[in-house]
Amino acid sequence: MQKLFLLTLIFSLLTITLIAEEPHPGLLKLITNVVVKLGNDPVIVNAVKEKNAQNESMDTIKKTDAEWISAKTPTKFMNDLIGNECSQYLQKLTSMKAYYSEIFVMDENGALVGLSDFTSDYWQGDEEKFTASFAGGAGKIFIDEKKYDASTEQETVQVSVPVKDGDKTIGAITVGIVVDAIE
């Protein structure tokens, strides 16, 4: 009964794109009480606003993505990105809770703004975690299915939520959650 109530509450409050058949009840509580709020966090919102203001072209994004993917060791750009204020904030968040495997923030094009750990690519804009959560500016919650994540080397569920500046969706944030670590 409590599980049904919680699911009903979440679906009535939020628009969710859900792939996982039946998420862990603790996951739904975590999404509602913690993850959604990250999309409104001032550090994250300001970082996305600053990145969007740079008007990075898709050609530049795709070139950077190709360089990121082919890099054998972290480049100066990669190190600068993982060392920025937003990334340091995300690293602090992930170190505070065992259920976080990774957190990364994307701008309005799906390019990385900040990340707790290196991802396998720079451009997330062609992946469902971004397209479903940014949703063309409409902003939705996306819960992916539990799977092995090569970049974190753990079984995780990726939950993506919109980053919002007031009522406007300006980017997205993806949180890798180790379901087995949720209390």
Side-chain angles (χ1 to χ4, degrees):
M1 183 69 174
Q2 182 181 11
K3 185 176 183 179
L4 179 60
F5 173 76
L6 184 58
L7 284 171
T8 304
L9 177 64
I10 288 174
F11 282 103
S12 66
L13 295 174
L14 307 166
T15 304
I16 299 177
T17 302
L18 177 64
I19 288 187
E21 285 183 20
E22 188 173 328
H24 182 287
L27 176 63
L28 296 175
K29 184 177 177 183
L30 181 67
I31 292 167
T32 305
N33 296 334
V34 179
V35 178
V36 169
K37 291 177 183 175
L38 289 175
N40 297 303
D41 183 288
V43 172
I44 293 167
V45 171
N46 287 335
V48 173
K49 285 169 63 174
E50 287 175 18
K51 182 77 173 355
N52 285 346
Q54 294 173 5
N55 294 317
E56 188 176 26
S57 73
M58 283 308 297
D59 287 342
T60 300
I61 291 170
K62 288 181 179 182
K63 180 181 178 209
T64 302
D65 188 53
E67 291 168 358
W68 186 288
I69 292 167
S70 66
K72 303 286 187 238
T73 59
T75 65
K76 180 181 179 339
F77 174 79
M78 293 166 79
N79 284 325
D80 288 347
L81 186 60
I82 204 161
N84 73 23
E85 180 183 356
C86 181
S87 294
Q88 289 176 6
Y89 181 67
L90 300 176
Q91 291 159 21
K92 181 179 176 185
L93 290 176
T94 58
S95 71
M96 294 170 58
K97 300 292 182 184
Y99 50 74
Y100 287 139
S101 63
E102 67 178 338
I103 305 174
F104 54 93
V105 176
M106 299 151 280
D107 69 7
E108 64 193 354
N109 294 311
L112 289 175
V113 173
L115 58 162
S116 62
D117 296 288
F118 286 114
T119 58
S120 56
D121 56 352
Y122 171 71
W123 184 49
Q124 312 294 315
D126 59 342
E127 298 178 33
E128 193 170 21
K129 69 184 104 212
F130 175 77
T131 60
S133 61
F134 187 73
K140 295 181 182 180
I141 295 173
F142 174 75
I143 305 170
D144 207 344
E145 59 189 58
K146 184 178 176 180
K147 58 187 163 190
Y148 180 78
D149 182 350
S151 65
T152 63
E153 299 179 344
Q154 298 182 65
E155 288 278 326
T156 63
V157 171
Q158 287 189 330
V159 177
S160 301
V161 300
V163 174
K164 295 198 163 264
D165 182 18
D167 290 336
K168 183 180 179 191
T169 298
I170 60 170
I173 182 169
T174 295
V175 180
I177 298 173
V178 181
V179 178
D180 295 338
I182 299 172
E183 298 176 9

